[in-house]
Amino acid sequence: MFDLERWQEIFDTIRKNKLRTFLTGLSVASGIFILVILLGFGQGMRNGIEHEFEQDASTSVWVWPGVTSKEYKGLNPGRRIQLVNENYNKASAMFNDDIEYGSARIFVRGVSVNYGKEALIYGVQGVASDFQFIENAKMIEGRFINYQDEASNGKVAIIGNKIKKDVFGDVDTPIGEFIDISGIPFKVIGVYKEMEDREEERIYIPITTAQRTFNGGNRVNNLSFTLPPVENFDKAVAQAVDFKNGLREYLQQTHTIAPDDTGAIEVWSAMEEAKRYYGLTNNIKLFFWFVGVCTIIAGVVGVSNIMMIVVKERTREIGIRKALGAKPWSIIAMILHEAIFVTAISGFGGLIFSMALLELVGPNIEVDYIMNPSVNFNVAFSTVIVLIVAGTLAGFVPAYRAAKVKVIESLRDE
């Protein structure tokens, strides 16, 4: 006799299993998807930070004078510190073995800049020949300032690539052209390129020319150095810290500044800043791993639960298989196959979708400190393999229980 209600119950069970399996698979896939996307953005942050530090030499150290905030040796607070040539020369001699490149810099203010009848609004700075390497400026035409230009107070200028495009678009090359700085002609001898357009809005002239021609005297606005490369990142940071502390101590003693008055002389180290940012990105990446792994664990638990439900609803079938001679390992394999199928399909589905999304969207993301989010495929693939193994282990408990089902009890199950 055809039992309509019984068949309806069977179809409902199948439908419920499909829904549970789909939701469990979706949970597993979303776990992998979230983990890969988070790891991609973690790497994107690291790429963005590395890009920011590429603007200057990675081992650069910069010094800016400030205002004293503490009384020291009878001198009142509020003194503005002025760096001079002697400070740079003495520091260069004291730390000669620790310095790769060095340059003082002066900002030439209150001058007018013209090219023909066109007034230009770009800043003028006096620098030494080593400044090219400190600033990481790449010459695309001509040359940078050299020692001869400094020694002879040469009236030469180096312009940024943005200035070339904005001002000298009507000539084949700006090399050999003249710009007037407060009525004094300077010959353009080079064009440099930087990482960002705003860094290319500067006109560099020899520091000696800037000081003597524009009443700079022996004053300088800041000092900059790069340190020689060392074996690894930790040694580079330690080298930068030692140099920074020694340089600050010398300048504090020279300008009679309290040792704990850090605002009077500011010394910035690219390596220290890099260590701080990299430590932050590593912590963020660990947090992303934690969130992603927790999501995956939730999916694995879901796989275990769905397998337990499957075993319960297929108890009678399992009993029949055992009555027909099925071995315990074949019952276990049957259940494990389903667990592996769910985790494998879901895991690789989440992996493929997330990797495709990063590949398509990642290169187009232009946000401060985030650049080209990406993830190592081997890491992501290994994560999926670990997920499949975890899903297999999660399905083993229900499978083992299925293998232990008594034939008589299972056949009585309704």
Side-chain angles (χ1 to χ4, degrees):
M1 182 178 180
F2 183 79
D3 190 343
L4 181 61
E5 292 184 359
R6 179 59 179 166
W7 278 102
Q8 185 65 45
E9 181 181 338
I10 293 173
F11 284 127
D12 287 343
T13 301
I14 294 173
R15 187 169 59 251
K16 288 177 182 178
N17 279 340
K18 286 185 177 179
L19 180 60
R20 292 192 191 103
T21 304
F22 172 76
L23 293 177
T24 301
L26 185 62
S27 175
V28 173
S30 64
I32 288 292
F33 176 82
I34 291 171
L35 177 60
V36 171
I37 294 297
L38 290 178
L39 291 180
F41 271 87
Q43 184 61 44
M45 292 179 64
R46 195 175 185 89
N47 294 341
I49 291 170
E50 289 177 353
H51 178 72
E52 290 293 324
F53 280 103
E54 284 176 358
Q55 294 180 29
D56 297 324
S58 59
T59 59
S60 61
V61 176
W62 299 76
V63 180
W64 287 276
V67 178
T68 60
S69 59
K70 298 184 179 182
E71 180 183 1
Y72 186 64
K73 292 186 177 181
L75 298 176
N76 293 327
R79 290 182 296 122
R80 181 167 293 280
I81 303 302
Q82 177 62 62
L83 298 176
V84 294
N85 288 338
E86 184 183 356
N87 297 146
Y88 171 73
N89 295 332
K90 185 71 178 292
S92 298
M94 287 178 61
F95 303 102
N96 181 61
D97 294 337
D98 300 323
I99 296 173
E100 183 179 28
Y101 299 109
S103 173
R105 177 165 60 165
I106 182 172
F107 300 106
V108 182
R109 297 186 174 93
V111 295
S112 60
V113 183
N114 295 275
Y115 174 62
K117 296 182 179 181
E118 182 179 359
L120 310 181
I121 55 172
Y122 304 108
V124 180
Q125 300 180 11
V127 298
S129 55
D130 281 356
F131 194 75
Q132 174 191 354
F133 308 105
I134 299 170
E135 188 67 16
N136 239 1
K138 294 177 175 56
M139 300 304 299
I140 57 174
E141 288 188 50
R143 64 171 178 85
F144 201 75
I145 295 164
N146 60 26
Y147 178 77
Q148 183 62 34
D149 297 326
E150 296 179 57
S152 63
N153 301 324
K155 304 299 189 296
V156 294
I158 289 82
I159 63 173
N161 190 46
K162 185 176 187 300
I163 299 178
K164 172 194 170 182
K165 292 186 290 187
D166 292 348
V167 179
F168 296 92
D170 296 334
V171 296
D172 293 334
T173 176
I175 305 300
E177 296 290 316
F178 285 85
I179 58 175
D180 289 340
I181 303 178
S182 290
I184 301 173
F186 280 73
K187 183 179 181 179
V188 177
I189 61 170
V191 180
Y192 69 90
K193 183 174 179 59
E194 287 269 15
M195 301 293 293
E196 296 184 6
D197 284 351
R198 62 183 177 84
E199 301 286 340
E200 297 177 354
E201 296 181 342
R202 301 170 182 168
I203 299 172
Y204 294 129
I205 63 175
I207 188 170
T208 51
T209 305
Q211 289 177 325
R212 296 179 185 179
T213 305
F214 301 106
N215 300 319
N218 67 342
R219 299 185 300 276
V220 296
N221 293 106
N222 64 38
L223 313 178
S224 56
F225 306 91
T226 62
L227 309 182
V230 291
E231 296 176 9
N232 56 54
F233 181 76
D234 290 334
K235 286 187 177 181
V237 173
Q239 178 192 51
V241 170
D242 291 341
F243 177 78
K244 172 182 172 180
N245 292 338
L247 182 59
R248 178 188 283 120
E249 182 179 353
Y250 155 67
L251 292 172
Q252 287 176 333
Q253 291 175 355
T254 301
H255 293 276
T256 318
I257 301 169
D260 57 345
D261 190 353
T262 56
I265 294 289
E266 294 186 29
V267 185
W268 183 87
S269 164
M271 293 306 299
E272 277 191 290
E273 202 70 10
K275 182 180 180 181
R276 187 176 299 112
Y277 277 110
Y278 288 155
L280 175 62
T281 57
N282 288 337
N283 290 335
I284 292 174
K285 186 174 288 188
L286 284 175
F287 175 73
F288 286 169
W289 268 106
F290 175 76
V291 172
V293 168
C294 286
T295 308
I296 291 174
I297 289 174
V300 170
V301 171
V303 171
S304 179
N305 290 337
I306 192 66
M307 290 301 103
M308 292 181 70
I309 293 172
V310 167
V311 168
K312 182 175 178 58
E313 294 180 347
R314 296 176 66 179
T315 300
R316 188 177 181 84
E317 176 192 339
I318 292 170
I320 294 172
R321 287 174 177 269
K322 295 186 73 174
L324 294 175
K327 301 297 183 182
W329 62 264
S330 67
I331 302 298
I332 292 176
M334 179 183 68
I335 303 301
L336 288 183
H337 283 163
E338 295 189 25
I340 293 172
F341 179 79
V342 171
T343 52
I345 295 298
S346 303
F348 282 113
L351 173 66
I352 293 171
F353 185 59
S354 57
M355 293 291 288
L357 185 63
L358 285 177
E359 190 70 23
L360 292 173
V361 178
N364 300 318
I365 293 179
E366 296 181 359
V367 182
D368 289 344
Y369 293 102
I370 297 179
M371 180 180 178
N372 191 21
S374 59
V375 66
N376 187 309
F377 178 78
N378 291 332
V379 172
F381 184 81
S382 300
T383 303
V384 175
I385 298 301
V386 171
L387 170 66
I388 294 173
V389 173
T392 303
L393 295 175
F396 181 78
V397 174
Y400 184 76
R401 288 183 180 179
K404 291 294 184 180
V405 170
K406 303 291 184 182
V407 175
I408 300 299
E409 293 178 0
S410 62
L411 292 176
R412 291 175 181 173
D413 184 74
E414 294 293 336

